[in-house]
Amino acid sequence: MSNKMSPHFLTFQLSLLLIFLLCTTITTTIAQPAPAPGPPPPTNITKILEKASQFTTLIRLYGITKVGDQINTQLNNSQQGMTVLAPPDNAFSSLAPGVLNSLNDQQKDELIQFHVLPTFISTAQFQTLSNPLRTQAGDSTYYNFPLNITTNGTSVTLITGVVNATLQNTIYTDGQLAVYQVDKVLLPMNLFGPQPPAAAPAPEPEKKKKKKTGDDDTPATDSTVSSSVDLRIGMHGLMGGLIGFIAMFYL
């Protein structure tokens, strides 16, 4: 009997080895757990607006005022959420020439902060909000930074006292940040509205005029009355003494 293996037997053994190795590789691959998903990237309002396009002017103002950095910091360090009202480039271009350039740095900051609400507001929540809305610009009294809304079905109108703007569409929302496109730049009363009327000065108290001595209607004081009585008593005493002295010569 020959000890030499036939070619068919060798091929069979190699096939078994290959099947074993293949099964081992598949089993190892299946047994390995899938890697855990990494943390989501931090929210960046500038990248959101860049992706949406047509917000070049707003992005530039975010950089000048640092409001973009403030939004990102607050979103990534708070659970309160935020809502951004974003006017597109054509809304800024429809402003009167030189309007933005006429504002100083603080006024530009107030203008952009006026477009940020410090809580997350869904489109449905606009139907139940109370006026005035509080913005990042602060004081919501009439001559400062009031922002009111009216709704008609799904239509939302934003009223500043200077302009009425319409909420057009949702650019981004994730339950923490909502970004809505508006058709006009929201111009606050403090920067673009009529100034409050100046308060009228308080009337000065009337000063009593001093009357000249000897006026007929000058009221008599206690000292004047006392002097007059003393003078009358003195005159009566003098006359009585004089009459008595004359009577001595005739008696």
Side-chain angles (χ1 to χ4, degrees):
M1 184 174 179
S2 175
N3 293 329
K4 188 176 180 181
M5 296 182 180
S6 67
H8 295 290
F9 182 74
L10 290 174
T11 302
F12 176 72
Q13 285 185 323
L14 288 174
S15 298
L16 289 177
L17 179 61
L18 289 174
I19 292 172
F20 174 76
L21 292 175
L22 180 62
C23 291
T24 303
T25 303
I26 294 173
T27 303
T28 303
T29 303
I30 295 174
Q32 290 179 349
T43 304
N44 189 301
I45 184 62
T46 300
K47 290 183 178 179
I48 291 171
L49 293 175
E50 286 176 346
K51 185 177 179 180
S53 71
Q54 67 177 338
F55 294 97
T56 305
T57 304
L58 184 59
I59 293 172
R60 179 172 62 83
L61 289 170
Y62 275 163
I64 293 173
T65 61
K66 308 302 181 184
V67 170
D69 293 338
Q70 294 173 19
I71 293 174
N72 294 334
T73 299
Q74 186 168 337
L75 285 172
N76 296 316
N77 293 281
S78 171
Q79 299 300 318
Q80 190 173 6
M82 302 187 81
T83 300
V84 172
L85 306 170
D89 292 334
N90 59 9
F92 281 100
S93 62
S94 66
L95 295 174
V99 167
L100 291 179
N101 292 333
S102 68
L103 302 177
N104 59 37
D105 290 344
Q106 179 180 345
Q107 292 171 330
K108 288 177 182 176
D109 182 80
E110 291 172 338
L111 174 63
I112 300 306
Q113 296 277 17
F114 191 56
H115 290 72
V116 181
L117 311 179
T119 55
F120 172 82
I121 302 174
S122 67
T123 52
Q125 288 174 320
F126 276 105
Q127 310 294 326
T128 59
L129 292 176
S130 299
N131 289 321
L133 300 184
R134 187 167 68 89
T135 72
Q136 290 285 79
D139 192 346
S140 59
T141 55
Y142 181 73
Y143 282 106
N144 287 289
F145 297 94
L147 182 60
N148 297 286
I149 64 167
T150 60
T151 58
N152 183 10
T154 59
S155 176
V156 178
T157 302
L158 304 162
I159 303 168
T160 74
V162 179
V163 298
N164 295 346
T166 302
L167 208 69
Q168 290 190 311
N169 56 68
T170 302
I171 299 171
Y172 176 88
T173 182
D174 61 3
Q176 185 186 18
L177 171 66
V179 183
Y180 301 107
Q181 180 175 330
V182 293
D183 66 340
K184 294 179 182 178
V185 179
L186 305 179
L187 304 178
M189 290 284 291
N190 183 277
L191 301 178
F192 300 96
Q195 295 304 305
E204 296 183 1
E206 294 184 2
K207 297 180 181 180
K208 293 183 178 180
K209 296 181 179 180
K210 294 183 180 180
K211 295 186 178 181
K212 296 181 180 180
T213 304
D215 289 350
D216 294 338
D217 57 350
T218 302
T221 61
D222 292 343
S223 59
T224 303
V225 173
S226 177
S227 299
S228 178
V229 171
D230 292 342
L231 179 59
R232 291 171 185 171
I233 293 174
M235 290 296 293
H236 285 295
L238 179 60
M239 291 297 293
L242 181 58
I243 293 173
F245 178 74
I246 296 172
M248 290 175 60
F249 292 98
Y250 290 94
L251 294 178

